[in-house]
Amino acid sequence: MDPGYVTTHPQPQEEPKEEQTAMVPQDIPLRRCRYCLVLQPLRARHCRDCRRCVRRYDHHCPWMENCVGERNHPLFVAYLALQLVVLLWGLYLAWSGLRFFQPWGLWLRATGLLFTTFLLLSFFSLVVGLLLASHLYLVAINTTTWEFISSHRIAYLRQRTSNPFDRGLTRNLAHFFCGWPSGPWETLWAEEEEEGSSQAV
């Protein structure tokens, strides 16, 4: 599905309001993508595999042959959770089929393929479990894989000591899974700027 491609012509419902436009910090202007020449909003990045800019870009998934971005990231997390459940179920079935009361050589000939399957399922379960845990952690702090790994190269994160999009665990999870509270990233950034300036005064 569309991961949230940045369009060259904004949709009517996506047009920024005047007050939101005024809140975008002037020291960090929107970048123009050097590949597809669209203005990139905050948290967007160009994907070379998809050849498009993706809003709230997380990563390009080679297994799905698609980007994970603003529109499909919750579905990707659900996909990982479902995949882990299926792998654990297969792991349970493989384990229940193993019988250990035979001599070693006979046991290996009788259940060698099943034991190999069990080892493969164990490995894939571990990988998917770690991937799911890392994505849930990133969701909890409201950041993306790309922002987490490349924060030193991203202009709007390089100048900050903390993540400006983190609104607390409850609000981060509510926004990610339910879309609440909604709002563009520029507005969140502006709220953070206002809080910082009021504390400085």
Side-chain angles (χ1 to χ4, degrees), residues 22-82:
M23 283 196 260
V24 178
Q26 299 303 315
D27 57 334
I28 301 184
L30 295 181
R31 286 181 32 194
R32 184 169 294 278
C33 177
R34 62 183 171 192
Y35 299 103
C36 54
L37 303 177
V38 298
L39 281 175
Q40 290 181 333
L42 283 179
R43 310 188 86 179
R45 182 173 188 259
H46 185 85
C47 175
R48 292 184 182 179
D49 296 312
C50 295
R51 296 186 178 135
R52 308 241 341 238
C53 286
V54 179
R55 294 179 59 86
R56 198 181 180 277
Y57 176 85
D58 190 84
H59 70 285
H60 184 89
C61 179
W63 303 109
M64 298 190 314
E65 278 299 317
N66 196 16
C67 276
V68 177
E70 186 176 64
R71 292 191 63 214
N72 64 352
H73 198 177
L75 292 175
F76 179 74
V77 171
Y79 163 73
L80 288 178
L82 181 63

Side-chain angles (χ1 to χ4, degrees), residues 140-154:
I141 63 172
N142 196 4
T143 192
T144 63
T145 304
W146 173 60
E147 290 170 342
F148 186 76
I149 293 172
S150 304
S151 60
H152 60 285
R153 296 185 325 178
I154 302 171

Side-chain angles (χ1 to χ4, degrees), residues 122-139:
S122 299
F123 173 74
F124 286 126
S125 298
L126 179 65
V127 169
V128 172
L130 290 173
L131 189 59
L132 178 62
S134 67
H135 272 275
L136 289 175
Y137 170 73
L138 294 175
V139 167

